[in-house]
């Protein structure tokens, strides 16, 4: 096994006294794990930062063996980890992707979308500049892994207009008329997810609540409290930023 490709670093875990196991997303070959010798060294720690773009080279004698990985930094986003809100967004987005994507399955749309979200966070550390992109990335992640929401028509009436809620059970949109009497049991569907355009803070929060419900229910079962804690930190910091 020999692979050489640009990749977005998603997670880094210490292994042994000096090494690190890295999971990185490539455009054509999906998520690729690898062992970086000396990955905990002073020289490599700034390189092995989740969200960084690297040129990776994976080598293994067999497909079943954990590949040895060498990395060359292409673009660093490490400075953003000095800012609490961008840091929380980077940590959540990369941790989520590392936790739910299967190894070696190509998801070119997800790679492109993730790269776009990370670039948006870097370009505009204020949340209004990237939060909409983050919600859309989470929706795409659900769809690509087989848990997409149906936001085209109302599950109760079949109408395709005035869609303002989503059923937390079926993941299908509900119109205002179809929701009468059940509003408190439904998740709000923010307009930017169906009509596009700008989003107010309330819409962004509702979007994160919507995607968070289905991520936790369908993709993060048994993934550990650490992943959900990363999302909680992000939402808490967003709420403080808009308060």
């Amino acid at each position: 096994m020999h692979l050489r490709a640009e990749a977005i670093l998603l997670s880094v875990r210490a292994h042994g006294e000096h090494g690190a196991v890295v999971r990185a997303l490539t455009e054509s070959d999906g998520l690729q794990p690898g062992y970086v010798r000396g990955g905990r060294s002073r020289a490599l720690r700034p390189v092995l930062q989740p969200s960084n773009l690297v040129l990776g080279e994976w080598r293994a004698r067999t497909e079943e063996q954990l590949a040895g990985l060498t990395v060359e930094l292409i673009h660093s986003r490490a400075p953003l980890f000095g800012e609490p809100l961008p840091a929380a967004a980077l940590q959540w987005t990369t941790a989520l992707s590392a936790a739910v994507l299967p190894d070696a399955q190509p998801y070119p749309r997800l790679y492109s979308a993730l790269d776009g979200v990370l670039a948006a966070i870097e370009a505009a550390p204020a949340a209004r500049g990237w939060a909409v992109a983050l919600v859309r990335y989470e929706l795409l992640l659900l769809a690509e892994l087989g848990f997409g929401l149906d936001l085209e028509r109302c599950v109760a009436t079949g109408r395709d207009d005035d869609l303002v809620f989503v059923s937390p059970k079926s993941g299908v949109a509900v119109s205002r008329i179809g929701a009468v009497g059940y509003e408190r049991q439904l998740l709000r569907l923010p307009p930017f997810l169906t009509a596009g355009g700008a989003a107010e803070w309330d819409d962004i929060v509702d979007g994160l609540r919507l995607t968070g419900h289905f991520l936790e229910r369908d993709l993060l079962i048994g993934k550990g409290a650490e992943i959900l804690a990363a999302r909680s930190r992000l939402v808490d910091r967003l709420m403080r930023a808009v308060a």
Side-chain angles (χ1 to χ4, degrees):
M1 180 268 193
H2 180 212
L3 172 65
R4 181 178 172 86
E6 290 188 7
I8 300 170
L9 293 182
L10 298 183
S11 69
V12 180
R13 178 171 54 86
H15 185 81
E17 189 174 353
H18 303 292
V21 174
V22 172
R23 296 170 72 80
L25 184 64
T26 69
E27 183 173 15
S28 299
D29 295 276
L31 192 150
Q32 294 289 334
Y35 174 75
V36 179
R37 187 181 301 275
R40 299 172 66 187
S41 67
R42 183 177 299 178
L44 281 178
R45 278 201 303 268
V47 177
L48 297 181
Q49 177 71 57
S51 77
N52 280 356
L53 182 66
V54 300
L55 178 62
E57 188 163 5
W58 290 260
R59 292 181 181 271
R61 292 182 179 179
T62 67
E63 293 290 339
E64 293 76 23
Q65 181 184 25
L66 179 63
L69 171 62
T70 58
V71 296
E72 177 184 337
L73 182 65
I74 295 175
H75 180 68
S76 174
R77 296 188 173 98
L80 289 173
F81 283 84
E83 298 291 334
L85 185 53
L90 295 177
Q91 289 166 350
W92 160 249
T93 311
T94 53
L96 170 66
S97 304
V100 302
L101 290 177
D103 291 353
Q105 298 296 316
Y107 292 97
R109 293 179 65 202
L110 281 176
Y111 178 90
S112 177
L114 177 60
D115 186 56
V117 171
L118 299 178
I121 296 170
E122 185 175 19
R128 190 178 289 276
W130 50 259
V132 167
L134 175 58
V135 174
R136 291 190 181 280
Y137 175 71
E138 293 178 346
L139 278 178
L140 178 62
L141 190 63
L142 285 162
E144 290 283 292
L145 295 179
F147 298 97
L149 307 187
D150 182 352
L151 306 181
E152 300 295 323
R153 291 184 179 276
C154 173
V155 66
T157 67
R159 296 178 55 159
D160 62 359
D161 64 321
D162 202 20
L163 303 175
V164 294
F165 294 103
V166 175
S167 166
K169 293 183 179 180
S170 67
V172 182
V174 184
S175 67
R176 196 180 308 274
I177 292 176
V180 171
Y182 297 93
E183 292 88 347
R184 292 187 178 182
Q185 302 173 33
L186 302 172
L187 296 165
R188 183 171 176 268
L189 175 59
F192 74 88
L193 291 180
T194 53
E200 300 298 328
W201 280 118
D202 287 348
D203 295 332
I204 291 171
V205 171
D206 285 335
L208 288 169
R209 185 177 294 116
L210 175 67
T211 53
H213 169 80
F214 291 102
L215 288 171
E216 185 171 354
R217 190 193 74 176
D218 297 327
L219 294 182
L220 294 176
I221 298 172
K223 297 296 184 180
E226 184 177 344
I227 302 298
L228 294 174
R231 185 181 175 87
S232 295
R233 285 194 297 271
L234 171 60
V235 174
D236 288 345
R237 288 172 181 174
L238 274 171
M239 297 303 292
R240 288 200 297 269
V242 304

